[in-house]
Amino acid sequence: MSFTASLISSLTSPSLVSLNHLPPSFFLQTKLVKPTCLTHSQLARLSSSCGPAAKAATANDVVPETAPRAASEVVSSFYAAINVHDLSSVTDLIAQDCVYEDLVFSSPFVGRKAILDFFGKFIESTSTDLQFVIDDISTEDSSAVGVSWHLEWKGKNFPFSKGCSFYRLEVIDGKRQIIYGRDCVEPAIKPGETVLAAIKGVTWLLQKFPQLADQF
């Protein structure tokens, strides 16, 4: 402001030019701005709109949905729930139309209710001292899982309890669930090479009477 006043004073001196001869554009138009008071909420919105996160955000930003659990994690949770006799946690891991085959039984268990009933009876016949221990589990596939396991009683190996299981899974209503399972358990009686003789005999029988294959 002091520079402007000095300039005007110099220009209006008798030796130079009169103010009346200066063009209108020479004079600065001064406009007073009334200060505006912002509320706390307005200040907060202003601060957030100027932050780094706001600069990176766009109108098309979408919050991603939670991805379904990994197949191996679902199967591991299944065994963990059985170990603590928590059937309620098992329910959401099994699809409504799941089929479960335990080759000790002559026919599979079909449907969530039938499967839960079976494991309910299994839990009633054991205690939490008997635990499934996973020896190995496949983790690469999102729809199929293989597991090798054994049973332990208070940390010691349970006899004739080694097994292998296969599970197939699908995402249903946003949850990955077991739709099929099969258990192959170590037999208590180990016939050894007698099994080979039995297979040879059955094969010869089917070759002579192929119609017998329809009975299996």
Side-chain angles (χ1 to χ4, degrees), residues 150-170:
H150 69 277
L151 290 173
E152 290 185 358
W153 176 266
K154 295 184 177 182
K156 297 182 179 181
N157 289 339
F158 195 75
F160 311 116
S161 69
K162 296 176 183 177
C164 293
S165 299
F166 172 79
Y167 298 93
R168 189 167 295 282
L169 302 92
E170 285 185 1

Side-chain angles (χ1 to χ4, degrees), residues 69-193:
R69 299 168 65 188
S72 58
E73 183 181 343
V74 173
V75 173
S76 296
S77 297
F78 171 78
Y79 283 99
I82 295 298
N83 280 342
V84 296
H85 294 187
D86 184 9
L87 275 184
S88 60
S89 296
V90 174
T91 302
D92 283 343
L93 305 179
I94 300 175
Q96 189 66 42
D97 299 325
C98 180
V99 175
Y100 170 69
E101 289 186 292
D102 186 328
L103 300 185
V104 173
F105 294 84
S106 59
S107 58
F109 299 92
V110 180
R112 179 190 289 164
K113 184 180 183 305
I115 296 170
L116 290 177
D117 287 345
F118 165 72
F119 280 103
K121 294 176 181 177
F122 174 82
I123 287 173
E124 290 176 359
S125 64
T126 64
S127 73
T128 54
D129 291 323
L130 187 66
Q131 297 276 295
F132 282 97
V133 178
I134 294 177
D135 300 316
D136 198 6
I137 184 170
S138 61
T139 59
E140 300 300 323
D141 201 317
S142 62
S143 62
V145 176
V147 187
S148 62
W149 49 266
H150 69 277
L151 290 173
E152 290 185 358
W153 176 266
K154 295 184 177 182
K156 297 182 179 181
N157 289 339
F158 195 75
F160 311 116
S161 69
K162 296 176 183 177
C164 293
S165 299
F166 172 79
Y167 298 93
R168 189 167 295 282
L169 302 92
E170 285 185 1
V171 177
I172 302 173
D173 296 332
K175 297 180 181 180
R176 200 179 305 279
Q177 296 181 317
I178 299 170
I179 62 169
Y180 175 77
R182 174 183 287 182
D183 283 343
C184 301
V185 185
E186 176 185 12
I189 300 175
K190 303 180 185 296
E193 292 187 3

Side-chain angles (χ1 to χ4, degrees), residues 40-60:
H40 289 295
S41 59
Q42 289 173 326
L43 286 172
R45 287 197 297 270
L46 181 62
S47 176
S48 62
S49 65
C50 296
K55 294 178 181 178
T58 66
N60 295 325

